Amino acid sequence: MEFAYIPSPSRGVVDLGPIPLRGYAFCIIIGVFVAVWLGNKRWVARGGQPGTVADISVWAVPFGLVGGRLYHVITDYQLYFGDGRDWVDAFKIWEGGLGIWGAIAFGAVGAWIGCRRRGIPLPAWADALAPGIAFAQAIGRWGNWFNQELYGRETDVPWALKITSSDDGRVPGTYHPTFLYESLWCIGVALLVIWADRRFKLGHGRAFALYVASYCVGRFWIEYMRVDDAHEFLGLRLNNWTALLVFLLAVVYLVLSARLRPGREEIVEPVPGGGAPSSDEGEAEGETSDALSKAGVKKADLDKAGSDGGAESAAKG
């Protein structure tokens, strides 16, 4: 007898008056807002201008949605093409089906375009967005719960997900809630990136690389638990191989970036109406002020004396 389980919603549509809003789309929208909100706070804390994150997201989000859908359709083409399938369904993004790998890759292209237009470095912007993206994924995964999809093997654990739908080959029963596992993992990834960024002052894209690497670790074992149809190679699902490859690339980037460009960017965005002083100028001015203070001379008095001397010379001339 089942004493506890996670129930599935009877329908995946939330009615806002006369407007039907699918739960999957709702989760994606909320996730995007959270990512932009947190990214903006982190960007401003790094010295950037308010609103820049949102402006670049106007480019990144549409590119990411297109890329995520393309990856899903290409890797699961049997769901949309062939006997008994309608290729028009490939465009119905609201019914679910976004590949995070394609979303991040194409989203990066859109972000690069936006960053070029604003004259700011893409790695710095990506570092600011990294934990927000992880939180957005955590929220977005609940869209799979609304659609009763992407669950794991059968189980009778108290937190099992109860599937009630028999559409598209589903078999009603209780299964591992892999959507919940990935949601919780993404929250942990976001917190890890925030902590590491504060502790080690990550810069030049290393916070984003840490997000990518740590996400891939969780995605690998979660993907291994799933039972939905997927292409396999050498006994592993395609997404397992993708997670492994992307993990290795992220780790290589972390190591090389730390060696070639240690530290963090001093300036992440040009100041409107004029540039900020360089770090060398700031250090020189600070050293001069310290020396004057030790000598008992105030810099303001020195500036005033110089101004008076200049005026006197002009009068004599």
Side-chain angles (χ1 to χ4, degrees):
M1 180 179 293
E2 299 171 354
F3 293 99
Y5 56 81
I6 301 174
S8 291
S10 58
R11 56 198 301 260
V13 181
V14 178
D15 292 319
L16 299 179
I19 303 175
L21 178 61
R22 291 186 174 273
Y24 185 89
F26 182 73
C27 291
I28 296 297
I29 293 171
I30 295 299
V32 169
F33 274 103
V34 169
V36 172
W37 170 78
L38 181 58
N40 181 71
K41 289 178 65 69
R42 287 172 51 82
W43 183 253
V44 172
R46 288 283 304 275
Q49 300 298 311
T52 297
V53 168
D55 291 344
I56 297 176
S57 295
V58 171
W59 289 90
V61 172
F63 271 74
L65 291 175
V66 171
R69 188 60 175 178
L70 278 176
Y71 181 89
H72 168 72
V73 172
I74 291 173
T75 56
D76 290 302
Y77 61 87
Q78 72 280 358
L79 300 177
Y80 307 99
F81 306 98
D83 295 337
R85 299 293 182 176
D86 186 357
W87 62 272
V88 176
D89 292 339
F91 297 93
K92 297 179 180 179
I93 192 173
W94 55 87
E95 293 184 355
L98 287 174
I100 185 60
W101 316 112
I104 293 297
F106 274 63
V109 174
W112 176 79
I113 295 174
C115 286
R116 289 270 297 180
R117 291 169 61 89
R118 295 294 294 261
I120 64 177
L122 174 62
W125 187 85
D127 282 342
L129 260 288
I133 294 174
F135 279 127
Q137 288 179 254
I139 297 171
R141 272 305 175 200
W142 284 86
N144 301 131
W145 175 68
F146 278 100
N147 287 351
Q148 296 197 37
E149 61 185 2
L150 304 189
Y151 43 85
R153 306 186 188 98
E154 285 191 280
T155 183
D156 57 359
V157 295
W159 57 87
L161 173 68
K162 186 168 186 177
I163 296 298
T164 58
S165 173
S166 58
D167 298 337
D168 296 326
R170 297 184 184 89
V171 178
T174 54
Y175 301 85
H176 276 288
T178 51
F179 83 91
L180 177 61
Y181 298 161
E182 186 167 342
S183 179
L184 294 175
W185 182 268
C186 287
I187 292 174
V189 168
L191 296 177
L192 170 65
V193 173
I194 291 173
W195 170 81
D197 195 27
R198 291 176 177 175
R199 175 67 176 80
F200 302 106
K201 303 297 182 183
L202 301 176
H204 302 287
R206 289 189 287 277
F208 185 81
L210 176 61
Y211 145 71
V212 172
S214 52
Y215 169 74
C216 287
V217 172
R219 180 61 184 266
F220 186 90
W221 69 266
I222 293 171
E223 187 73 25
Y224 193 73
M225 296 179 64
R226 283 167 48 172
V227 295
D228 53 300
D229 293 334
H231 299 287
E232 294 188 0
F233 180 69
L234 297 179
L236 289 179
R237 294 161 65 96
L238 175 61
N239 281 332
N240 282 116
W241 287 109
T242 304
L244 181 60
L245 174 62
V246 175
F247 169 80
L248 293 175
L249 292 175
V251 171
V252 170
Y253 181 89
L254 272 170
V255 174
L256 293 180
S257 176
R259 290 181 179 178
L260 299 176
R261 306 190 71 183
R264 174 187 279 182
E265 300 92 338
E266 293 292 333
I267 301 174
V268 296
E269 183 173 6
V271 177
S278 67
S279 58
D280 293 339
E281 292 174 346
E283 291 176 1
E285 185 175 351
E287 292 173 358
T288 302
S289 297
D290 291 341
L292 291 173
S293 297
K294 291 179 181 179
V297 180
K298 294 183 178 180
K299 188 174 183 297
D301 294 338
L302 196 62
D303 292 340
K304 183 175 184 300
S307 176
D308 294 342
E312 183 178 351
S313 299
K316 289 180 179 180

